[in-house]
Amino acid sequence: MSAAHGYAAQSADQPLTAFAFERREPGPHDVRIEILYCGVCHSDLHTARNEWHNTLYPSVPGHEIVGRVSAIGNAVKGFKVGDLAGIGCIVDSCRECASCRAGDEQYCETGFTGTYNGSIFGGTENTYGGYSDQIVVDEKYVLHITHDEDQLAAVAPLLCAGITTYSPLAHWKVGPGSKVGVVGLGGLGHMAVKIAKAMGAYVVLFTTSENKREDALRLGASEVVVSRDPDQMAAQAAKLDFIINTVAAPHDLDALLNTLARDGTMVLVGAPATPHPSPNVFGLMLKRRSLAGSAIGGIRETQEMLEFCARHGIVSDIEMIRMDAINDAYERMLKGDVKYRFVIDMATLKA
Ligand code: NAP
Ligand code: ZN
Ligand code: ZN
């Protein structure tokens, strides 16, 4: 075992504080990564505060991890010491079920091992995430970074916000000619706008924050709709083919479903702590609309997404923070005061 340092929540109502723990030594197939940057996902906050009622404490969040390989096991083939590497939300899975064999480890039938808050396979030991100085992961679950090294911090959020939006956009075959709605301009939403635009779609951004209009247009939206304005919502009736809804709080789905054309689909990726009000069945039935969900993405697709983003010059818009500013960052995230992803500079943890 080797000494690791990070930041952890010890309970739902305590701020995150410095935390010392241990990582395993790299086994034959493992890669050790010195973590340079870690993005701050709203799921980190949900977990640290036990909003999904499943948190194992102490909880070290962070699943948008980028860094440099500092050690490898003797059977590792895909990485060498000094390589840049990324870790997303998944660090292991059963590798045998139909979902794992299909490369959809996020739907592993026995449950994938989360980068944090995931019991290690065959046991109950908690996993600790990227708000830390190093991590050890089987190379099968480690991503290659092809962006320029000077973009590394802004690549980190692709490991969750990027793949969580890319995967449903790809699954529902968004492309040139698609009219796509993106709901919520936060970490996930701003990536959805950039990726849908790069796929060739016409993007309509739905926001509760009028002051995000200019940014949304700059990021690639063609239209911006303030979702609290019934007239602006009515003007979009039956116009969209597909909607990706990233909102982290319960809200009225009917007003959004009503903007879907016949056979349109709204996919929910936001994961609020309490349910949305149930949608009106007639709104779905009378235009054969679908309401769907989607979880992150598999390892192969995450690699594909990273390469797609590198080719299209896509990274996240980030605000770099110190590790000890994490509790303040959570409060700002709750107020929607982040443009558009906090990324922790892990050098500040050592300092
Ligand atoms: P975020 O940066 O906080 O963005 C969420 C956005 O939702 C906000 O910027 C805001 O956008 C909008 N919003 C917030 N509260 C709202 C309210 N009460 N009513 C309407 N809109 C509201 O969060 P994130 O990191 O993008 O994560 C979003 C959600 O996705 C979280 O629940 C997270 O846990 C979940 N998630 C799911 C997956 C998955 O696999 N499905 C993966 C990662 C994250 P506007 O200001 O534009 O309205
Ligand atoms: Zn996440
Ligand atoms: Zn599996």
Side-chain angles (χ1 to χ4, degrees):
M1 301 296 268
S2 67
H5 297 91
Y7 256 58
Q10 299 288 347
S11 69
D13 55 2
Q14 293 294 310
L16 277 71
T17 51
F19 175 61
F21 60 105
E22 291 187 318
R23 298 283 193 192
R24 68 175 185 262
E25 291 301 330
H29 298 281
D30 284 339
V31 171
R32 175 182 282 152
I33 295 166
E34 181 201 354
I35 300 174
L36 298 174
Y37 303 103
C38 185
V40 179
C41 179
H42 207 114
S43 302
D44 301 353
L45 187 162
H46 289 308
T47 302
R49 298 186 178 178
N50 199 21
E51 291 177 355
W52 293 332
H53 310 291
N54 67 349
T55 304
L56 307 166
Y57 292 101
S59 177
V60 178
H63 56 204
E64 294 183 336
I65 299 168
V66 291
R68 194 178 298 284
V69 175
S70 58
I72 57 170
N74 56 21
V76 168
K77 295 198 173 66
F79 294 88
K80 56 183 193 315
V81 170
D83 283 355
L84 296 178
I87 307 288
C89 307
I90 304 173
V91 291
D92 206 353
S93 64
C94 85
R95 310 173 191 211
E96 286 168 0
C97 72
S99 298
C100 283
R101 286 203 311 274
D104 286 326
E105 298 90 352
Q106 74 276 33
Y107 304 119
C108 175
E109 281 138 47
T110 43
F112 68 85
T113 300
T115 302
Y116 61 81
N117 207 52
S119 51
I120 289 165
F121 250 87
T124 54
E125 199 186 337
N126 193 5
T127 54
Y128 295 131
Y131 296 4
S132 60
D133 54 0
Q134 55 131 320
I135 189 164
V136 179
V137 178
D138 187 308
E139 71 164 326
K140 192 173 158 53
Y141 300 85
V142 182
L143 288 310
H144 293 274
I145 307 288
T146 57
H147 285 77
D148 286 345
E149 187 166 343
D150 59 5
Q151 295 179 302
L152 195 61
V155 169
L158 303 184
L159 276 308
C160 177
I163 184 59
T164 302
T165 51
Y166 179 92
S167 183
L169 290 166
H171 181 77
W172 273 275
K173 301 191 167 40
V174 164
S178 307
K179 286 194 77 175
V180 171
V182 174
V183 190
L185 196 65
L188 267 57
H190 94 292
M191 291 312 309
V193 170
K194 290 185 188 209
I195 292 170
K197 168 83 173 172
M199 287 174 167
Y202 180 92
V203 179
V204 179
L205 186 272
F206 294 87
T207 180
T208 58
S209 313
E210 169 69 43
N211 63 4
K212 292 183 183 171
R213 179 180 294 275
E214 291 311 312
D215 278 345
L217 297 172
R218 172 179 60 78
L219 293 165
S222 294
E223 290 181 62
V224 178
V225 175
V226 176
S227 52
R228 289 185 170 138
D229 178 343
D231 292 338
Q232 290 188 42
M233 292 300 285
Q236 295 294 329
K239 290 224 167 131
L240 302 174
D241 302 310
F242 183 71
I243 299 174
I244 179 163
N245 185 332
T246 74
V247 173
H251 60 280
D252 171 26
L253 300 180
D254 288 330
L256 293 161
L257 287 166
N258 193 44
T259 68
L260 287 173
R262 174 170 54 84
D263 291 334
T265 296
M266 176 157 77
V267 64
L268 303 177
V269 294
T274 52
H276 298 295
S278 181
N280 182 324
V281 175
F282 290 93
L284 294 168
M285 259 175 11
L286 295 177
K287 286 202 184 307
R288 198 164 49 192
R289 292 165 172 144
S290 302
L291 182 59
S294 182
I296 45 176
I299 299 299
R300 187 170 62 222
E301 193 173 41
T302 303
Q303 190 64 57
E304 176 187 303
M305 175 277 310
L306 284 168
E307 289 163 22
F308 175 91
C309 289
R311 266 199 319 280
H312 287 87
I314 295 175
V315 291
S316 174
D317 285 29
I318 64 166
E319 178 179 334
M320 195 92 83
I321 60 166
R322 294 175 49 84
M323 185 71 255
D324 60 12
I326 186 65
N327 298 299
D328 181 46
Y330 281 180
E331 292 308 314
R332 285 182 54 197
M333 185 154 67
L334 284 174
K335 286 186 264 175
D337 176 24
V338 45
K339 291 186 170 173
Y340 279 90
R341 196 56 136 189
F342 292 119
V343 171
I344 303 160
D345 178 356
M346 223 40 83
T348 63
L349 176 64
K350 293 178 191 104

